[in-house]
Amino acid sequence: MIDQASALRTIADHSARFMRQSGAHQPVSIAITSGKGGVGKTNVVGNLAVSLANLKKRVLVLDADFGLANVDVLFGLTPKYNLRDVLYGDMGLEDIIVEGPAGVRVIPASSGVEQMAALTLDQQTRLMRGLMELGAETDYLLIDTAAGISANVVNFLLASGLVIVVTNPEPTSIVDAYLVIKILALREPGKRVALLVNSVSGFDEAQSVFQQIDSASRRFLDKPLELLGFIERDKNVLEAVRRQIPVASLYPRSAASQSIKAIASKLDRQCSAMKRPENSGLAWHELFAASV
C-alpha cells in the first residue's frame, strides 16, 4: 500500500525547491485537530483565524472535515460551490473561496457527501498543488481537520508543519487527544505538536489537563509537548455560535475572546521566529513536506 503522506511530501519537495529558488512567499501552515468530537475545535479554528486577521495577517481556512463540514456554518456563510466541485469537477480552489469575518478566506468543504471522507492520492495531490498556488497571497493556512484518526486526518497531520491538538477537561477528550499524539509520535517522532485546552475555568485547570497529557507523552512516547494556551469557559461563546458570528468579532472583550487573542499573538510571534532563514520549519512548502 502506498504511504499517501510520504508520496505527498515527495511531490511537495520538488515544489519546495522551486519556491526557495524563486524566493516565493511561503505562508505558515497549521493543522488543528482533536481526538474527540464536540470539544469546540472548529470554533477554535474560526476564532483563531479572525484573531490572526485582526493582527493584519492574511488568513486562509481549509475546511478539511470533508464529510461533515461546518466552518461556513460557524461564519454564517452560504457558499455556492465547495471542494467537491474541485475534486470531482473542473473548478479551481480560487473559484470556490468565500470571504468571512475580518477578511478571513474560507475553502468550504461539502457536507454529508460520503465519498469525500476518503480522498485518493491523486485528489489529495490536486488539493495540495492548488493550496500552493494560493501561497503568494496568504500568511496563515489553518486546516480544520475532522475529529478522529481517519486516513484523511492522519495524512493532513503528518503533512503539516505544526499540529495543534484541541482538548477540554473531559476524561474522554483527554484520552483521545493523547491517542492522536501517540499516532503522530509513532509515525513521525519529530513532528511539532502543541496543545490547546478549551473551555476551562482558568490557568490552573488548563495546566492540570496539559500535565496529564504531557506526562503520559513524556513517559510512554518520549515526546514532550507544548501548551500553546487555553480558552476560558464563557457563555458568550454559545451565543456567538447561535448567531453564527465568531465570538472574537461579536464579543471582542469577553473572556474567551481575550484568551484567543493571546493565543493568536503567541502563535504569530513563534511562527515569525520559525520563518527566519536559519529556522524555517514552518514554511508553506512544509504543508506536505518534512516536518519541523
Side-chain angles (χ1 to χ4, degrees):
M1 179 179 289
I2 297 174
D3 183 335
Q4 290 194 1
S6 297
L8 288 167
R9 288 195 292 270
T10 299
I11 293 167
D13 281 341
H14 298 290
S15 299
R17 239 176 262 119
F18 170 78
M19 294 175 76
R20 285 194 296 267
Q21 291 170 357
S22 65
H25 175 66
Q26 298 178 29
V28 174
S29 57
I30 304 169
I32 302 174
T33 193
S34 65
K36 179 180 180 294
V39 301
K41 171 183 56 63
T42 297
N43 203 31
V44 167
V45 173
N47 283 284
L48 183 58
V50 168
S51 296
L52 287 169
N54 287 338
L55 294 175
K56 308 303 180 184
K57 305 299 178 180
R58 298 169 297 175
V59 183
L60 178 65
V61 176
L62 169 62
D63 190 341
D65 190 345
F66 297 139
L68 298 170
N70 55 19
V71 170
D72 55 335
V73 176
L74 181 71
F75 281 165
L77 303 173
T78 54
K80 184 176 181 180
Y81 303 105
N82 56 54
L83 270 173
R84 189 177 189 279
D85 298 295
V86 174
L87 300 176
Y88 292 91
D90 57 1
M91 301 186 76
L93 288 182
E94 68 280 359
D95 300 319
I96 69 169
I97 290 176
V98 291
E99 185 170 316
V104 172
R105 294 177 301 151
V106 178
I107 300 174
S110 58
S111 184
V113 180
E114 186 176 1
Q115 66 197 96
M116 288 291 291
L119 301 184
T120 65
L121 174 60
D122 178 66
Q123 289 169 328
Q124 291 189 53
T125 300
R126 286 176 58 196
L127 176 57
M128 177 270 292
R129 287 176 171 159
L131 289 170
M132 284 186 167
E133 290 174 1
L134 297 173
E137 53 195 44
T138 305
D139 295 315
Y140 285 93
L141 170 67
L142 303 185
I143 305 171
D144 182 20
T145 77
I149 52 174
S150 71
N152 272 349
V153 171
V154 173
N155 281 342
F156 273 115
L157 302 185
L158 291 172
S160 299
L162 168 64
V163 174
I164 297 175
V165 179
V166 180
T167 186
N168 66 23
E170 295 177 7
T172 52
S173 176
I174 292 171
V175 170
D176 287 353
Y178 170 75
L179 292 177
V180 170
I181 294 164
K182 179 179 179 179
I183 289 172
L184 286 173
L186 294 175
R187 292 287 299 274
E188 199 164 309
K191 175 64 63 183
R192 183 183 172 204
V193 180
L195 278 174
L196 190 157
V197 187
N198 191 28
S199 192
V200 292
S201 58
F203 174 78
D204 288 344
E205 188 175 22
Q207 186 68 17
S208 174
V209 172
F210 170 73
Q211 286 178 347
Q212 291 179 63
I213 302 173
D214 182 56
S215 296
S217 184
R218 288 173 183 267
R219 179 179 179 184
F220 299 111
L221 307 175
D222 193 28
K223 184 177 183 62
L225 302 174
E226 169 194 351
L227 177 60
L228 180 62
F230 64 92
I231 299 174
E232 286 195 47
R233 195 175 298 117
D234 187 342
K235 64 180 181 180
N236 290 306
V237 173
L238 293 178
E239 175 64 14
V241 170
R242 187 186 67 81
R243 295 177 60 177
Q244 295 180 279
I245 303 172
V247 70
S249 300
L250 186 60
Y251 300 112
R253 296 187 179 181
S254 66
S257 294
Q258 291 301 309
S259 298
I260 295 165
K261 181 179 178 181
I263 292 169
S265 297
K266 178 180 178 179
L267 186 62
D268 188 48
R269 290 194 302 271
Q270 290 182 348
C271 290
S272 295
M274 293 297 287
K275 288 177 68 178
R276 293 170 186 161
E278 70 275 14
N279 200 13
S280 58
L282 292 182
W284 177 265
H285 66 268
E286 297 277 338
L287 172 59
F288 288 102
S291 65
V292 177

